[in-house]
Amino acid sequence: MADSSPPLTPRQDRPVYVIGGGPGGLATAAALRARGVRAVVLEKSERVGASWRGHYDRLHLHTTRRLSALPGLPIPRSFGRWVSRDDVVRYLEKYAEHHRLDIVTGVEVTGLERAADGTGWLLHATGGRELTGSAVVIATGYNHTPHLPDWPGRDTWSGELLHAGDYRNAKPYAGKDVLVVGVGNTGAEIAVDLVEGGAARVRLAVRTAPHIVRRSTAGWPAQLSGILCRRLPVALSDRLAGPVTRLSVPDLSAQGLPRPDTGLFSRAAQGAIPVQDVGLIDAVRKGRVEPVATVESFEDGKIVLADGSRIGPDTVIAATGYRRALENLVGDLDILDPRGRPKTHGRRTSKQTPGLYFTGFTNPISGMLRELARDAERIAKAIAR
């Protein structure tokens, strides 16, 4: 895209580089531009919203259209309350065009270091590029690199094994016996998709029983409850959520999916977001999705589960999450915690790495896109100041 940013001022002889052309990167670039700060988005793929383009076909936002818009452009009403994957991609494309963002595609940043004069950052990128920015915002995403557990015997198993990131729809699995590993939102929704798409049998391997909430109850979205309770003490939020969950979600213990023994918001504070029901409850109640114990190993053509049982599915789909994969980029800057997550986030920047910002590396109960939009405004304000 052509550079249509305002003219540079002496204080702004270097742009702010935003790494990643997903929602967080685009929102931050737009918020910076609105404050007269030149921002250049560097995206390693050939189009914006690359991760969204790769999600499974039936995906819809679990957050409402109104509370998922990025700064400066509402999501069209015609997209409906729960926006589809394809419409999210269309919105991101329109967003970049609407804000006339300066985006360079096909460029991957491979390393960062402080600029020689100590006032900015030197970026090393593909093609031997060296770019100097006044600040850097890393927005490469929460779901960056698929994580496939190194189960014993995995490499000797003759069945089909794929990560949920490679799943698109149920058509290839019609008539097959499928095991989905992981009962987060992705695993739950893929299991339902498989059932509706004609899979012969669908089992769902569960390590820890999840909290399940209705996406909307009497028109009230679960996202709003998450937003309202964020400012309350976690223990109080747990007490408020308990009765509501018990009334709206049936006990599935008899079907192998018991209620969790920890509070919903306590679990969310540890990064485990509740499963938004898009059909899982009914599928489990009717026996169409069968919860089973988690996977321990692959052995003699069978899957060994934690309870000692052995099963022989045709296909295993691992909805086992993603890694942030920031180690190669900033691993030598002492800015990551032991789990590979940034120690600072949003408008905060470390004293050791001034001018380096991160967005999109948490999974908030109030909605990812909403928090990306808020982060973008805060980061832009901090940089402009």
Side-chain angles (χ1 to χ4, degrees), residues 4 6 100 109 111 140 157 203 205 233 306 322 353 358:
S4 55
R100 295 181 293 172
V109 179
T140 49
W157 193 57
R203 284 173 281 204
Y322 294 78
T353 55
F358 296 85

Side-chain angles (χ1 to χ4, degrees), residues 17 72 108 123 142 145 150 161 166 214 226 231 240 248 278 304 332-334 338 349 369 371-372 384-385:
Y17 283 108
E108 182 177 6
L123 295 77
Y142 188 83
T145 302
D150 189 18
L161 171 63
D166 295 318
R214 300 285 187 182
R231 295 185 178 276
L240 293 173
S248 61
V278 290
V304 181
D332 59 344
L333 298 178
D334 192 29
T349 185
L369 291 177
E371 296 307 319
L372 286 175
R385 184 173 59 236

Side-chain angles (χ1 to χ4, degrees), residues 87-128:
D87 282 337
V88 170
V89 172
R90 293 187 186 99
Y91 172 69
L92 295 178
E93 292 174 337
K94 180 64 177 179
Y95 190 85
E97 178 185 347
H98 175 81
H99 289 290
R100 295 181 293 172
L101 300 181
D102 186 356
I103 302 171
V104 183
T105 59
V107 175
E108 182 177 6
V109 179
T110 57
L112 284 176
E113 61 180 288
R114 294 289 290 161
D117 60 9
T119 62
W121 288 90
L122 178 64
L123 295 77
H124 300 277
T126 49

Side-chain angles (χ1 to χ4, degrees), residues 98-377:
H98 175 81
H99 289 290
R100 295 181 293 172
L101 300 181
D102 186 356
I103 302 171
V104 183
T105 59
V107 175
E108 182 177 6
V109 179
T110 57
L112 284 176
E113 61 180 288
R114 294 289 290 161
D117 60 9
T119 62
W121 288 90
L122 178 64
L123 295 77
H124 300 277
T126 49
R129 296 176 178 87
E130 290 190 348
L131 310 169
T132 303
S134 59
V136 173
V137 181
I138 299 179
T140 49
Y142 188 83
N143 295 335
H144 186 275
T145 302
H147 168 60
L148 192 63
D150 189 18
W151 289 300
R154 187 190 77 183
D155 295 337
T156 64
W157 193 57
S158 59
E160 182 182 16
L161 171 63
L162 68 152
H163 188 272
D166 295 318
Y167 176 88
R168 294 295 172 266
N169 56 60
K171 186 176 180 179
Y173 309 102
K176 292 188 176 182
D177 183 339
V178 185
L179 172 68
V180 180
V181 184
V183 69
N185 278 294
T186 297
E189 192 156 358
I190 287 176
V192 173
D193 194 43
L194 289 164
V195 164
E196 295 177 354
R201 185 175 189 180
V202 179
R203 284 173 281 204
L204 184 59
V206 180
R207 180 179 298 277
T208 303
H211 284 278
I212 304 174
V213 299
R214 300 285 187 182
R215 186 169 64 175
S216 179
T217 303
W220 179 268
Q223 181 189 9
L224 276 179
S225 298
I227 293 171
L228 293 174
C229 288
R230 284 196 75 184
R231 295 185 178 276
L232 298 177
V234 171
L236 176 58
S237 297
D238 283 343
R239 288 197 294 271
L240 293 173
V244 174
T245 302
R246 286 191 292 273
L247 286 172
S248 61
V249 177
D251 185 1
L252 301 173
S253 299
Q255 289 78 29
L257 202 59
R259 296 188 189 277
D261 55 7
T262 56
L264 187 154
F265 285 88
S266 295
R267 187 81 68 81
Q270 299 170 358
I273 300 301
V275 172
Q276 302 249 1
D277 178 50
V278 290
L280 180 67
I281 293 173
D282 284 345
V284 171
R285 290 178 69 181
K286 295 175 182 178
R288 302 179 72 193
V289 171
E290 308 168 44
V292 296
T294 193
V295 172
E296 286 290 309
S297 63
F298 291 62
E299 186 177 317
D300 297 329
K302 300 289 185 180
I303 309 297
V304 181
L305 303 180
D307 60 4
S309 59
R310 293 169 176 255
I311 59 175
D314 302 309
T315 301
V316 176
I317 300 174
T320 46
Y322 294 78
R323 297 194 186 280
R324 295 345 127 219
L326 291 169
E327 290 79 6
N328 290 339
L329 185 60
V330 295
D332 59 344
L333 298 178
D334 192 29
I335 195 65
L336 303 179
D337 69 13
R339 295 175 62 185
R341 302 173 302 182
K343 294 179 182 178
T344 61
H345 196 269
R347 65 173 175 262
R348 294 186 297 116
T349 185
S350 168
K351 291 181 180 179
Q352 290 74 34
T353 55
L356 180 60
Y357 300 86
F358 296 85
T359 183
F361 294 97
T362 61
N363 193 16
I365 196 170
S366 51
M368 174 70 81
L369 291 177
R370 176 181 183 271
E371 296 307 319
L372 286 175
R374 290 162 64 86
D375 268 354
E377 297 284 8

Side-chain angles (χ1 to χ4, degrees), residues 16-87:
V16 174
Y17 283 108
V18 180
I19 305 174
L26 299 181
T28 303
L32 285 164
R33 193 178 191 282
R35 288 169 171 78
V37 179
R38 184 184 175 205
V40 178
V41 178
L42 303 175
E43 167 55 46
K44 71 176 183 179
S45 73
E46 297 303 322
R47 296 180 290 179
V48 299
S51 64
W52 278 94
R53 297 174 191 275
H55 288 313
Y56 48 92
D57 294 348
R58 72 171 282 157
L59 178 65
H60 285 67
L61 292 180
H62 294 156
T63 55
T64 65
R65 181 193 72 252
R66 186 173 63 84
L67 293 174
S68 301
L70 302 179
L73 185 68
I75 298 176
R77 290 177 59 88
S78 60
F79 287 0
R81 193 183 198 195
W82 312 106
V83 183
S84 72
R85 177 204 64 185
D86 289 347
D87 282 337

